[in-house]
């Protein structure tokens, strides 16, 4: 059997590419259903894009690579598609757009788009071997039978390594290596931190607004203490910039100066303790956890300099994670197929005409908040329309 385009992976990027790749397109996936990550994303409502999408919200060895695709197929193009399919949506926070109903509507929309483009979809299909002699010869096993499909164009859209329990594999990286494309070492991104000795276990479930900073980037959002460490949107964002072994910085009161709070309380509530005053501004369990290191004197007896130092510590809490929860829970994979090997306009491999790589398999990773899907739509569109 011969097809013009064979797309490996019926996820967000693969389905988008299939909808635009034109005649004779086949999409294969080893899963039993397409778009499984879309289905479970955004708590079942899919945060499908972000109104504030811009290239500086993506991480890549080449920060310029994503610009072309993001500019040619924008968040507004995808919003128009969603609207054209009659899918109701809303902005939750920070430009994040979610379905009012269900993420399944986005999967169905992409299936309808693929059907309208007459693209075929083979599920429960595995890739055995790929050869290349002008065309791509791909041995596929489906329903116990192995057959070779030849294709003029081959699109790698099998995503990254995040959440192996959902079927994530390193297939795209292996095929890229077979064709001599470079790889930026993959690592888990948008992932909770773990700490030695489960030091935050007593705080599990406590959440507060914070500013979390790592690798020169900071994010003002909630931090959540977990049984094994830290999570919440601020932490997940910071994790993508974290360099292993380095400390992260947590500001426990980004909106309000704790030095001002403490010095004012010293005058107005001099007989109260530090813990009592701080419990008005921070979660009581967190104050209890931190207080053994604090002076026990009444506020009036604590020198101003000590109060200022303490406030400074709470605005710049330095914490060195032992590691992360890893691919088991990471929302994305950083790194991937090196963009230096790809044409930024088309996603085609410069040295292997006909071979394309899109979506999370490529070394482009977005922030939390709909950016990763937008990269899947934009890069999928760029490859599909180039074929
Ligand atoms: P994707 O992972 O979607 O698709 C890859 C496909 O390839 C899958 O269908 C898989 O089965 C298939 N495949 C893999 N290996 C294969 C093999 N060896 N053989 C055959 N097929 C194979 N992003 C966002 O913007 N907003 C959000 O709300 C969320 N929420 C979210 C929640 C959770 C729990 C996760 C894990 C991730 C998110 N994301 C997200 C990230 C987003 O899901 C992700 O970046 C995109 O799905 C990437 O799209 P791709 O098409 O590149 O890969």
């Amino acid at each position: 059997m011969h097809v013009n385009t064979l797309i490996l992976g019926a996820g967000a990027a693969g389905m988008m590419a299939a909808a635009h790749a034109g005649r004779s397109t086949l999409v294969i996936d080893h899963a039993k259903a397409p778009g499984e990550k879309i289905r479970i994303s955004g708590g079942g409502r899919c945060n499908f894009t972000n109104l504030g999408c811009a290239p500086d919200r993506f991480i890549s060895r080449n920060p310029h690579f994503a610009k072309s695709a993001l500019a040619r197929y924008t968040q507004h193009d995808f919003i128009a598609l969603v609207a054209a399919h009659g899918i109701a949506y809303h902005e939750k926070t920070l430009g994040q757009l979610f379905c009012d109903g269900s993420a399944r509507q986005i999967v169905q929309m992409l299936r309808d788009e693929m059907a309208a483009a007459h693209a075929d979809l083979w599920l429960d299909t595995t890739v055995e071997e790929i050869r290349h002699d002008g065309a791509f010869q791909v041995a596929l096993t489906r329903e116990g039978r192995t057959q070779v499909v030849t294709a003029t164009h081959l699109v790698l859209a099998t995503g990254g390594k995040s959440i192996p329990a959902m079927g994530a594999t390193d297939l795209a990286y292996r095929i890229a290596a077979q064709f001599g494309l470079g790889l930026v070492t993959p690592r888990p991104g948008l992932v909770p931190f773990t700490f030695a000795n489960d030091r935050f276990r007593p705080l599990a479930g406590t959440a507060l607004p914070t500013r979390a900073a790592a690798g020169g980037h900071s994010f003002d959002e909630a931090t959540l203490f977990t049984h094994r460490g830290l999570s919440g949107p601020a932490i997940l964002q910071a994790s993508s910039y974290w360099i292993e072994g380095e400390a992260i910085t947590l500001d426990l009161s980004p909106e309000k100066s704790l030095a001002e709070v403490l010095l004012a309380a010293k005058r107005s509530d001099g007989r109260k303790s530090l813990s009592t005053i701080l419990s008005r501004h921070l979660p009581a369990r967190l104050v209890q956890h931190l207080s053994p290191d604090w002076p026990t004197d009444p506020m009036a007896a604590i020198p101003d300099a000590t109060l200022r130092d303490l406030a400074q510590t709470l605005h710049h809490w330095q914490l060195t994670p032992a590691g992360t929860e890893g691919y088991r829970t990471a929302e994305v994979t950083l790194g991937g197929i090196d963009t230096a090997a790809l044409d930024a306009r088309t996603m085609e491999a410069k040295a292997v005409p006909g071979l394309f790589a899109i979506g999370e398999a490529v070394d482009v990773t977005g922030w939390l908040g709909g950016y990763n899907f937008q990269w899947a739509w934009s890069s999928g569109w760029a490859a599909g329309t180039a074929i």
Side-chain angles (χ1 to χ4, degrees):
M1 176 179 167
H2 180 81
V3 293
N4 187 46
T5 304
L6 175 60
I7 299 176
L8 307 183
M15 288 200 280
M16 191 67 179
H20 292 94
R23 71 191 162 81
S24 178
T25 294
L26 171 63
V27 191
I28 71 97
D29 201 295
H30 67 172
K32 290 192 164 43
E36 281 293 88
K37 277 194 183 164
I38 301 173
R39 183 178 61 79
I40 62 147
S41 68
R45 289 227 160 85
C46 186
N47 176 195
F48 55 80
T49 193
N50 194 297
L51 289 171
C53 193
D56 63 356
R57 279 139 196 237
F58 293 83
I59 303 164
S60 171
R61 183 181 278 174
N62 176 0
H64 304 293
F65 180 81
K67 286 181 181 172
S68 169
L70 291 172
R72 288 189 304 132
Y73 189 87
T74 69
Q75 61 270 41
H76 304 293
D77 293 316
F78 194 77
I79 294 165
L81 181 66
V82 168
H85 280 256
I87 300 172
Y89 62 90
H90 61 279
E91 181 184 349
K92 197 168 167 189
T93 174
L94 301 171
Q96 301 168 6
L97 300 189
F98 287 76
C99 299
D100 288 356
S102 162
R104 289 176 197 273
Q105 294 173 285
I106 300 292
V107 179
Q108 190 57 48
M109 176 188 86
L110 294 166
R111 290 192 81 148
D112 290 347
E113 288 284 306
M114 285 203 300
H118 305 289
D120 284 325
L121 173 63
W122 290 3
L123 297 168
D124 238 332
T125 302
T126 51
V127 179
E128 308 299 339
E129 193 186 13
I130 301 180
R131 293 191 185 176
H132 185 224
D133 61 355
F136 298 91
Q137 301 171 350
V138 184
L140 298 169
T141 300
R142 184 189 185 209
E143 291 166 356
R145 205 176 120 243
T146 300
Q147 61 183 305
V148 173
V149 172
T150 61
T152 310
H153 306 97
L154 180 67
V155 182
L156 308 181
T158 51
K161 288 168 57 164
S162 296
I163 321 223
M166 289 195 67
T169 70
D170 62 356
L171 180 68
Y173 308 151
R174 283 188 274 126
I175 299 173
Q178 176 185 339
F179 286 97
L181 276 51
L183 191 70
V184 176
T185 308
R187 63 186 173 91
L190 299 178
V191 64
F193 286 126
T194 56
F195 286 84
N197 310 320
D198 294 344
R199 66 184 271 202
F200 296 127
R201 183 176 285 272
L203 294 176
T206 303
L208 75 162
T210 56
R211 177 172 300 144
H217 292 260
S218 66
F219 297 91
D220 282 21
E221 282 193 76
T223 286
L224 170 71
F225 290 87
T226 69
H227 283 95
R228 285 164 50 83
L230 293 176
S231 188
I235 294 297
L236 298 182
Q237 298 276 39
S239 75
S240 291
Y241 290 96
W242 179 61
I243 297 157
E244 213 171 324
E246 290 196 356
I248 62 160
T249 306
L250 264 192
D251 182 341
L252 297 175
S253 178
E255 299 281 315
K256 194 178 251 177
S257 159
L258 291 176
E260 282 174 23
V261 165
L262 294 178
L263 293 172
K266 180 175 173 176
R267 289 191 295 276
S268 61
D269 284 305
R271 279 192 269 178
K272 297 245 161 60
S273 71
L274 251 176
S275 303
T276 305
I277 300 300
L278 281 171
S279 294
R280 294 177 188 163
H281 300 277
L282 300 172
R285 274 208 288 167
L286 178 58
V287 170
Q288 205 184 349
H289 178 81
L290 297 168
S291 60
D293 295 338
W294 297 345
T296 49
D297 311 312
M299 289 294 290
I302 306 174
D304 286 4
T306 307
L307 292 176
R308 281 202 192 90
D309 282 354
L310 178 75
Q312 170 76 0
T313 312
L314 297 174
H315 283 297
H316 295 91
W317 195 13
Q318 300 276 307
L319 296 161
T320 305
T324 72
E325 295 277 3
Y327 291 119
R328 189 178 60 81
T329 63
E331 203 166 298
V332 285
T333 303
L334 293 150
I337 297 169
D338 193 344
T339 59
L342 305 174
D343 181 321
R345 222 183 130 72
T346 62
M347 308 293 136
E348 189 171 17
K350 291 173 185 165
V352 190
L355 180 67
F356 296 74
I358 57 177
E360 201 178 313
V362 177
D363 172 34
V364 174
T365 308
W367 283 5
L368 187 76
Y371 299 97
N372 285 295
F373 277 138
Q374 186 58 45
W375 171 244
W377 317 135
S378 297
S379 60
W381 179 90
T385 53
I387 287 170

